[in-house]
Amino acid sequence: MCGIVGLYTKNPAFEQRLGDYLSSMLIEMTERGPDSAGIAVYRNPVPKGATKLTLHHADPNYPWPQLAHDLQEELGDKVGIEVRGSHAVMVAHEEYPVISAWLHHHHPEVAVVSVGDKIEIYKEMGLPADVVNRFHLRDLKGTHALGHTRMATESAVTTEHSHPFSTGLDLCLVHNGSLSNHNRLREWLKKRDIEIRTDNDTEVAAGYLTWQLREGASLEEALEAALKDLDGFYTFAVGTKDGFAVLRDPIACKHAVLAETDDWVAMATEYRSIATLPGADKAVIWEPVPAQIYSWSRA
Amino acid sequence: MIEIDLDQTTIRDLNQRLHRLPADTNERAWHIFNPKGRHAIAVGLDLPITIAIDGHVGFYCGGMNKQAEILINGHAGPGVAENLMSGTVRVRGNASQSAGASARGGLLVVEGDTSSRCGISMKGADIVVGGSVGHMSAFMAQRGNLVVCGDAGRSLGDSIYEARLFVRGRVDSLGADCIQKEMRAEHLEALAKLLDRAGIRANPRDFKRYGSARKLYNFNVDHAAAY
Amino acid sequence: MTVDPSSLRPSHSFPPQVIQEIHRAADQGVYEIRGFGAKRKLPTFDDLVLLGASISRYPLEGYRERCDTNVVLGTRHAAKPIELKIPITVAGMSFGALGAHAKEAIGRACTAMGTSSTTGDGGMTPEERLSSKTLIYQVLPSRYGLNPDDLRRADAIEVVVGQGAKPGGGGMLLGQKITERVAGMRDLPVGIDQRSASRHPDWTGPDDLTIKIQELREITDWEKPIYVKVGATRVTYDVALAVKAGADVIVVDGMQGGTAATQDVFIEHAGIPTLPAVRLAVEALKELDMHRKVHLIVSGGIKSGADVAKALAMGADAVAIGVATLIALGCNRPVYVEDYHKIGTEPGYCHHCHTGRCPVGVTTQDPELEKRLPPEQGARMLKNYLTTMTLELQTLARACGKSHVLNLEPEDLAALTVEAAAMAQVPLAGTNWIPGRNGY
């Protein structure tokens, strides 16, 4: 049970203030989600052949530069690292499976929060305003971002249980609602080598989408399949490299509002988040209908 | 005209002030600015005063209203005019879900569309929608009238009791125990009056009437499939 | 030729009652609907005992040495919390399920005892408000009779998410009880079978409940405590979420909780017993550092001062009684025995509230039957019962050395069975063993 926000910019001027605007949207959703908060930002695309990872460790003094240095030695190529709070964004000129194997072997204590060309995910326990400050989210520039504030329903309040959940390269999921068949799905997905670390229902949904995409489905096909295979109440927002998608379940009790101006497209659980954006009072506002996929992308 | 800027005044102060007005108050016309999607604006009122709100409101605007005339110059979030008792709530834009939920009396007008569950559990109010309504509208609607000038989403009037539904456009599907019914002279007359009160121009003859088949009123095993 | 009875072998899986029920289903094609609470055997407070005074602990003398029973509920946000003289309240039961005499009797008795009564799934009657000094007003999924004037007349507001008898189900009242008065209050046609919603019409989920609670506070100018009531299922999550949604008081109703009418399968097979529900609720509150700040009322099969003492020892702030209240008013009393026979039962076994033919005039709308329960007489009987429960509670609390009943604590308890020890997280008598702790 939560608040979801999403912002997609339509022009470069707006990209400069992406983090600032999204942070304000996120903080409006504090009452819906006082337990933890997180955002996924799409920014600074890495060159072809390189990979960007967001890593997390709870220790505020974790020696990130040392880790980057060690990987650099291993790869024989420069590895960049940018530390934000308890997370670090690392860029290496290598494919993900190689980096993943190295991390597993040498630094199993570090959690991989997101992987891709553009995506970065920051998430932690605490009030949205605190999470925004800890990660300096207002400074971030980028093309689009999703955010989530969490009121935990059935699983624990930890960083690992916070949204957004990364489901694959440049892919992430935020969810408002409560699934009812996620426990069986979790077992089923684990048998198919989808890694699911927590008892959180959203992580199962994220894993389900990853599995669908791995099997060759497009994002639209994966979401259509989700309508059949996932049971319960949900509003999903999925982040992709080029944009985002929104889907509500057929019963559609969990709210969602969409809004669009010449500068942006925004999505939120409640209008008051959208009201914080410049030009909101002139925006076209509508509600997504149930069981219908809405998507925006730059392609 | 009393002007209230909700960026300066809290919802709580506004509502308390409105609740404390004496019956003979001369503060009868209120203009509210910067609602910005805030919740519970002008709830629980009980005087024949007018409130105009410029902008979009959040959840439950005008909830449990008695006597007052509330005008929303924008869109309304979920549960607008929930449990309306009397008076009028008018939304110039669209309304989110559960508009007029369990509304018992008075008039709710939405000039635009509503999303799902418009008039859910309604108990005697009149609801007039200039546009379309979403799925599960008039779910368990007990009493009152729902008028839809546009289309209705699936499962209209599911499990309906005695409320009357008038829809001009397409109905995606009817819910359990809801059937189309004959439009007779008294219905055309009642509908004309409703449209007139709502200030919406439409020809009653273009509408179809829907209501309860009353087969679920006392359980009969042969109707078990309807459950 | 007679059959030798010792050659008759009943089946454990298909005993006579099950066989009879299957025959009934084959005849009628519909689930059985009835009143009362779960009748099956369950772990209850009876499986716990209190550790009275000994050499290490000293008791209080009766009468002279005070054992106070007052409790204040709902101090978290409300300007006017609920002050009760005893920690025993009467649970929500509708006018419709109960007749007007019963509701008035309850109101009078509660006023005399300085405790609260609660409206139910039919709205507030004037008799109830007049007779009950402290009245809790329920807001249910059906919203029958809900109006802002009653909200303002109430002393507290109880948002009902569910009840122990049917967690996840809505209200039910059969046609024979939908009289003109009941129909008028509920805006339904007379004589139909009432179908009710199981979800609230304008909110779903704790994030939206937060906003709904705020609306209710705004309508009542933040004066009144807001209770949230759940049937006992996922108690840990529900209590945490109710706290996060802003509740001042949480009511947890175990599966033994009664109803005037619902499907038998619901009553017997959904929800967890009150015993583990209390423990889970208290743990959830302590986890959030909200124990004794957000207050806890528990209900579901509470029947004596001993149950109250044990519930308080486990950490509840108060209890609510439903079925026990009706029994005090005469339910299942061996009088008008012919009328019990007419509805197919005997005193002591009756669960036929749904028929509206209550032989003692409690759960009926029939004025002739209601005459059997004059309100003053009912009030006296209920007051006697509440007084008895309070005296029993004080007796046990004094024996444990407590000058206030809220000073009872889990360490004052021992369990008689392994199940009760596990559910209540209290040691099995004679051992230090609490199943599940320290790897055992």
mmCIF file of all heavy atoms in Angstrom, chain A residues 163-182:
data_model
loop_
_atom_site.group_PDB
_atom_site.id
_atom_site.type_symbol
_atom_site.label_atom_id
_atom_site.label_comp_id
_atom_site.label_asym_id
_atom_site.label_seq_id
_atom_site.Cartn_x
_atom_site.Cartn_y
_atom_site.Cartn_z
ATOM 1 N N HIS A 163 10.602 -0.440 -2.996
ATOM 2 C CA HIS A 163 10.509 -0.332 -4.453
ATOM 3 C C HIS A 163 11.332 0.873 -4.873
ATOM 4 O O HIS A 163 11.512 1.790 -4.073
ATOM 5 C CB HIS A 163 9.074 -0.065 -4.906
ATOM 6 C CG HIS A 163 8.024 -0.929 -4.310
ATOM 7 N ND1 HIS A 163 6.801 -1.093 -4.914
ATOM 8 C CD2 HIS A 163 7.958 -1.666 -3.183
ATOM 9 C CE1 HIS A 163 6.042 -1.874 -4.196
ATOM 10 N NE2 HIS A 163 6.707 -2.239 -3.121
ATOM 11 N N PRO A 164 11.748 1.047 -6.114
ATOM 12 C CA PRO A 164 11.473 0.204 -7.277
ATOM 13 C C PRO A 164 12.275 -1.102 -7.260
ATOM 14 O O PRO A 164 13.382 -1.145 -6.718
ATOM 15 C CB PRO A 164 11.945 1.061 -8.458
ATOM 16 C CG PRO A 164 12.100 2.440 -7.938
ATOM 17 C CD PRO A 164 12.434 2.305 -6.490
ATOM 18 N N PHE A 165 11.686 -2.143 -7.834
ATOM 19 C CA PHE A 165 12.401 -3.402 -8.002
ATOM 20 C C PHE A 165 12.917 -3.461 -9.434
ATOM 21 O O PHE A 165 12.193 -3.181 -10.377
ATOM 22 C CB PHE A 165 11.472 -4.589 -7.752
ATOM 23 C CG PHE A 165 11.256 -4.832 -6.282
ATOM 24 C CD1 PHE A 165 10.131 -4.348 -5.645
ATOM 25 C CD2 PHE A 165 12.196 -5.533 -5.537
ATOM 26 C CE1 PHE A 165 9.931 -4.562 -4.283
ATOM 27 C CE2 PHE A 165 12.008 -5.749 -4.175
ATOM 28 C CZ PHE A 165 10.876 -5.256 -3.550
ATOM 29 N N SER A 166 14.188 -3.868 -9.561
ATOM 30 C CA SER A 166 14.743 -3.983 -10.900
ATOM 31 C C SER A 166 14.469 -5.365 -11.430
ATOM 32 O O SER A 166 14.659 -6.362 -10.737
ATOM 33 C CB SER A 166 16.245 -3.744 -10.878
ATOM 34 O OG SER A 166 16.738 -3.891 -12.191
ATOM 35 N N THR A 167 14.005 -5.443 -12.644
ATOM 36 C CA THR A 167 13.577 -6.717 -13.176
ATOM 37 C C THR A 167 14.429 -7.151 -14.357
ATOM 38 O O THR A 167 14.232 -8.205 -14.908
ATOM 39 C CB THR A 167 12.130 -6.629 -13.675
ATOM 40 O OG1 THR A 167 12.122 -5.793 -14.836
ATOM 41 C CG2 THR A 167 11.246 -6.006 -12.629
ATOM 42 N N GLY A 168 15.346 -6.342 -14.732
ATOM 43 C CA GLY A 168 16.157 -6.687 -15.903
ATOM 44 C C GLY A 168 16.877 -5.428 -16.343
ATOM 45 O O GLY A 168 16.769 -4.389 -15.716
ATOM 46 N N LEU A 169 17.600 -5.518 -17.447
ATOM 47 C CA LEU A 169 18.385 -4.377 -17.899
ATOM 48 C C LEU A 169 17.497 -3.171 -18.156
ATOM 49 O O LEU A 169 16.563 -3.230 -18.952
ATOM 50 C CB LEU A 169 19.148 -4.740 -19.183
ATOM 51 C CG LEU A 169 20.176 -5.867 -19.026
ATOM 52 C CD1 LEU A 169 20.823 -6.147 -20.384
ATOM 53 C CD2 LEU A 169 21.236 -5.501 -18.003
ATOM 54 N N ASP A 170 17.784 -2.081 -17.478
ATOM 55 C CA ASP A 170 17.070 -0.807 -17.626
ATOM 56 C C ASP A 170 15.582 -0.915 -17.327
ATOM 57 O O ASP A 170 14.798 -0.048 -17.727
ATOM 58 C CB ASP A 170 17.255 -0.215 -19.034
ATOM 59 C CG ASP A 170 18.585 0.488 -19.162
ATOM 60 O OD1 ASP A 170 18.920 1.304 -18.268
ATOM 61 O OD2 ASP A 170 19.310 0.218 -20.136
ATOM 62 N N LEU A 171 15.189 -1.973 -16.619
ATOM 63 C CA LEU A 171 13.777 -2.183 -16.337
ATOM 64 C C LEU A 171 13.536 -2.076 -14.836
ATOM 65 O O LEU A 171 14.343 -2.550 -14.051
ATOM 66 C CB LEU A 171 13.380 -3.572 -16.813
ATOM 67 C CG LEU A 171 12.039 -3.680 -17.498
ATOM 68 C CD1 LEU A 171 12.033 -2.844 -18.765
ATOM 69 C CD2 LEU A 171 11.773 -5.125 -17.855
ATOM 70 N N CYS A 172 12.434 -1.444 -14.440
ATOM 71 C CA CYS A 172 12.097 -1.444 -13.015
ATOM 72 C C CYS A 172 10.588 -1.405 -12.848
ATOM 73 O O CYS A 172 9.855 -1.075 -13.781
ATOM 74 C CB CYS A 172 12.739 -0.258 -12.284
ATOM 75 S SG CYS A 172 12.009 1.321 -12.715
ATOM 76 N N LEU A 173 10.125 -1.751 -11.646
ATOM 77 C CA LEU A 173 8.695 -1.821 -11.364
ATOM 78 C C LEU A 173 8.383 -1.175 -10.026
ATOM 79 O O LEU A 173 9.084 -1.412 -9.038
ATOM 80 C CB LEU A 173 8.243 -3.285 -11.322
ATOM 81 C CG LEU A 173 6.775 -3.542 -10.922
ATOM 82 C CD1 LEU A 173 5.840 -3.057 -12.011
ATOM 83 C CD2 LEU A 173 6.540 -5.024 -10.664
ATOM 84 N N VAL A 174 7.337 -0.354 -10.001
ATOM 85 C CA VAL A 174 6.762 0.100 -8.729
ATOM 86 C C VAL A 174 5.301 -0.321 -8.708
ATOM 87 O O VAL A 174 4.669 -0.448 -9.761
ATOM 88 C CB VAL A 174 6.879 1.627 -8.515
ATOM 89 C CG1 VAL A 174 8.326 2.027 -8.315
ATOM 90 C CG2 VAL A 174 6.244 2.404 -9.641
ATOM 91 N N HIS A 175 4.779 -0.532 -7.534
ATOM 92 C CA HIS A 175 3.465 -1.162 -7.392
ATOM 93 C C HIS A 175 2.707 -0.563 -6.221
ATOM 94 O O HIS A 175 3.261 -0.363 -5.144
ATOM 95 C CB HIS A 175 3.708 -2.664 -7.162
ATOM 96 C CG HIS A 175 2.521 -3.450 -6.688
ATOM 97 N ND1 HIS A 175 2.632 -4.467 -5.764
ATOM 98 C CD2 HIS A 175 1.209 -3.392 -7.008
ATOM 99 C CE1 HIS A 175 1.437 -4.994 -5.539
ATOM 100 N NE2 HIS A 175 0.552 -4.374 -6.282
ATOM 101 N N ASN A 176 1.448 -0.252 -6.459
ATOM 102 C CA ASN A 176 0.554 0.087 -5.360
ATOM 103 C C ASN A 176 -0.561 -0.943 -5.345
ATOM 104 O O ASN A 176 -1.239 -1.127 -6.357
ATOM 105 C CB ASN A 176 -0.027 1.498 -5.566
ATOM 106 C CG ASN A 176 -0.985 1.874 -4.443
ATOM 107 O OD1 ASN A 176 -0.940 1.308 -3.363
ATOM 108 N ND2 ASN A 176 -1.859 2.830 -4.692
ATOM 109 N N GLY A 177 -0.725 -1.623 -4.213
ATOM 110 C CA GLY A 177 -1.776 -2.634 -4.154
ATOM 111 C C GLY A 177 -1.302 -3.825 -3.361
ATOM 112 O O GLY A 177 -0.370 -3.726 -2.577
ATOM 113 N N SER A 178 -1.944 -4.962 -3.538
ATOM 114 C CA SER A 178 -1.642 -6.158 -2.761
ATOM 115 C C SER A 178 -1.986 -7.363 -3.620
ATOM 116 O O SER A 178 -3.157 -7.579 -3.953
ATOM 117 C CB SER A 178 -2.493 -6.123 -1.491
ATOM 118 O OG SER A 178 -2.169 -7.164 -0.626
ATOM 119 N N LEU A 179 -0.969 -8.139 -3.992
ATOM 120 C CA LEU A 179 -1.234 -9.338 -4.789
ATOM 121 C C LEU A 179 -1.697 -10.466 -3.874
ATOM 122 O O LEU A 179 -1.425 -10.456 -2.678
ATOM 123 C CB LEU A 179 0.035 -9.750 -5.542
ATOM 124 C CG LEU A 179 0.557 -8.732 -6.556
ATOM 125 C CD1 LEU A 179 1.819 -9.245 -7.224
ATOM 126 C CD2 LEU A 179 -0.500 -8.419 -7.593
ATOM 127 N N SER A 180 -2.421 -11.423 -4.438
ATOM 128 C CA SER A 180 -2.919 -12.523 -3.598
ATOM 129 C C SER A 180 -2.397 -13.892 -3.989
ATOM 130 O O SER A 180 -2.635 -14.863 -3.281
ATOM 131 C CB SER A 180 -4.455 -12.540 -3.603
ATOM 132 O OG SER A 180 -4.929 -12.745 -4.924
ATOM 133 N N ASN A 181 -1.659 -13.997 -5.116
ATOM 134 C CA ASN A 181 -1.142 -15.332 -5.477
ATOM 135 C C ASN A 181 0.374 -15.317 -5.668
ATOM 136 O O ASN A 181 0.931 -16.156 -6.363
ATOM 137 C CB ASN A 181 -1.841 -15.864 -6.741
ATOM 138 C CG ASN A 181 -1.463 -15.082 -7.984
ATOM 139 O OD1 ASN A 181 -1.007 -13.951 -7.910
ATOM 140 N ND2 ASN A 181 -1.617 -15.709 -9.137
ATOM 141 N N HIS A 182 1.040 -14.371 -5.003
ATOM 142 C CA HIS A 182 2.459 -14.198 -5.275
ATOM 143 C C HIS A 182 3.324 -15.307 -4.701
ATOM 144 O O HIS A 182 4.430 -15.546 -5.186
ATOM 145 C CB HIS A 182 2.955 -12.847 -4.753
ATOM 146 C CG HIS A 182 2.549 -12.583 -3.343
ATOM 147 N ND1 HIS A 182 1.258 -12.337 -2.973
ATOM 148 C CD2 HIS A 182 3.280 -12.533 -2.201
ATOM 149 C CE1 HIS A 182 1.198 -12.136 -1.681
ATOM 150 N NE2 HIS A 182 2.407 -12.252 -1.179
#
